[in-house]
């Protein structure tokens, strides 16, 4: 202890004697601690904490890419979604998603809302249960002329409707069209851009809409503005999924040779 006190006194004496060196040393130490904290924060959020969805380790995003055209990631089309889904053996489920920004009317103040329009299986695929009301029904995928329905994020519900539990069956306008509220999502649910990177860059959706696709849209190969979120079957690997997607690419190339050059794949 006596030796330690001597070392401390000597250190303090030198710090007072050389204040410039002391300031640099303290700053360097502070930056080092700060950098380690920042790195741990990134690692903690991206690696240590799994995504807050059911069996998140089996979730995958399907991208289209064309190495020959230097396109590493491109959004698929409804026609590609239908082709992949029709011949899938390794995916438990595949959902199609489209992001858009909409004008909101019929409330106290006009505003904008980030919207996710998706097939009815998206929220069940993620293991989401509504806080109020219901999720979308399968029949809402197939008929574009169905009455418009909307599910609210918890944040939008509290901000625009004051968290009222009698919000169901209320209506408001999205891009001038009337939508009926059929559900509200729980506060802990989030589906940000880092999970579903929509072409319209919706950072955090305010509302969820059905995505009914007509027979013509389901054949559309060129409308590449959609996300495909999939869940692998238990025991299926990414390598198996990629092999299956390669087969889907080959079939599409045979069917639509002008749209799928040799360099194109999923």
């Amino acid at each position: 202890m006596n030796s330690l006190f001597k070392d401390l006194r000597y250190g303090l004496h030198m710090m007072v004697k050389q204040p410039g060196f002391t300031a640099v040393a303290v700053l360097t130490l502070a930056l080092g601690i700060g950098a380690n904290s920042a790195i741990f924060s990134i690692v903690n959020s991206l690696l240590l904490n799994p995504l807050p969805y059911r069996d998140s380790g089996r979730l995958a995003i399907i991208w289209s890419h064309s190495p020959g055209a230097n396109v590493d990631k491109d959004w698929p089309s409804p026609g590609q979604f239908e082709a992949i889904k029709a011949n899938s053996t390794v995916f438990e489920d595949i959902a199609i998603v489209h992001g858009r920004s909409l004008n909101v009317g019929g409330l106290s103040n006009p505003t904008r809302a980030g919207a996710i329009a998706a097939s009815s299986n998206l929220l069940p695929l993620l293991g989401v249960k509504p806080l109020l009301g219901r999720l979308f029904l399968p029949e809402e995928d197939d008929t574009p002329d169905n009455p418009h329905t909307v599910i609210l994020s918890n944040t939008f519900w509290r901000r625009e409707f004051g968290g009222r539990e009698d919000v169901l069956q209320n209506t408001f306008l999205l891009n001038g069209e009337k939508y009926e509220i059929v559900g509200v999502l729980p506060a802990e649910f989030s589906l940000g851009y880092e999970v579903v990177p929509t072409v319209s860059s919706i950072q955090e959706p305010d509302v969820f809409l059905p995505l009914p696709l007509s027979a013509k849209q389901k054949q559309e190969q060129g409308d590449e503005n959609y996300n495909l979120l999939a869940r692998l079957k238990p025991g299926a690997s990414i390598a198996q999924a990629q092999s299956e997607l390669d087969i889907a690419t080959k079939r599409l190339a045979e069917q639509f040779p002008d749209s799928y050059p040799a360099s194109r794949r999923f």
Side-chain angles (χ1 to χ4, degrees):
M1 290 297 295
N2 185 51
S3 176
L4 176 62
F5 288 140
K6 288 182 179 179
D7 289 342
L8 286 174
R9 283 197 298 270
Y10 177 75
L12 290 171
H13 174 72
M14 292 302 295
M15 288 171 70
V16 172
K17 188 175 180 181
Q18 302 181 57
F21 170 79
T22 300
V24 172
V26 171
L27 179 61
T28 302
L29 182 61
L31 288 173
I33 293 172
N36 286 334
S37 299
I39 290 169
F40 178 75
S41 296
I42 294 169
V43 170
N44 182 62
S45 63
L46 297 183
L47 301 179
L48 303 185
N49 292 329
L51 293 171
Y53 309 120
R54 175 175 63 88
D55 297 331
S56 61
R58 292 196 281 123
L59 294 177
I61 295 176
I62 299 174
W63 292 99
S64 168
H65 62 108
S66 303
N70 292 320
V71 178
D72 182 51
K73 287 183 178 180
D74 201 1
W75 290 269
S77 68
Q80 294 161 1
F81 165 66
E82 293 293 329
I84 293 169
K85 184 177 66 169
N87 297 287
S88 174
T89 62
V90 300
F91 293 117
E92 183 177 280
D93 209 356
I94 308 173
I96 183 168
V97 180
H98 186 269
R100 56 192 69 167
S101 184
L102 303 174
N103 294 315
V104 178
L107 301 179
S108 55
N109 295 303
T111 185
R112 296 279 289 174
I116 288 289
S119 49
S120 62
N121 60 340
L122 172 68
L123 295 174
L125 183 151
L126 297 171
V128 182
K129 297 183 183 300
L131 175 69
L132 298 175
R134 66 169 176 87
L135 302 181
F136 296 124
L137 306 173
E139 51 263 36
E140 291 174 284
D141 292 335
D142 297 323
T143 48
D145 295 329
N146 270 342
H148 294 324
T149 54
V150 60
I151 295 173
L152 310 181
S153 74
N154 200 274
T155 300
F156 188 83
W157 170 56
R158 293 185 181 280
R159 184 177 73 236
E160 301 297 336
F161 294 91
R164 292 181 5 239
E165 294 193 1
D166 63 350
V167 71
L168 300 179
Q169 280 74 60
N170 278 262
T171 62
F172 63 100
L173 302 178
L174 292 171
N175 276 10
E177 297 187 12
K178 185 183 292 186
Y179 280 76
E180 178 184 331
I181 301 167
V182 297
V184 176
L185 297 177
E188 63 271 17
F189 175 72
S190 173
L191 191 67
Y193 183 82
E194 69 278 3
V195 179
V196 179
T198 61
V199 69
S200 53
S201 300
I202 299 299
Q203 296 303 309
E204 189 67 47
D206 298 301
V207 297
F208 289 77
L209 312 174
L211 184 61
L213 297 173
S214 67
K216 182 179 178 181
Q217 286 177 302
K218 290 179 180 181
Q219 297 299 316
E220 178 60 58
Q221 302 298 314
D223 185 12
E224 297 175 333
N225 293 295
Y226 295 78
N227 296 91
L228 303 187
L229 187 65
R231 176 181 292 282
L232 291 165
K233 289 181 177 179
S237 68
I238 291 294
Q240 289 173 313
Q242 184 59 62
S243 178
E244 187 169 276
L245 291 172
D246 290 342
I247 294 171
T249 303
K250 184 178 179 181
R251 287 175 176 159
L252 285 168
E254 292 170 352
Q255 190 175 0
F256 305 99
D258 294 337
S259 300
Y260 296 92
S263 63
R264 183 73 177 277
R265 63 193 295 249
F266 295 102

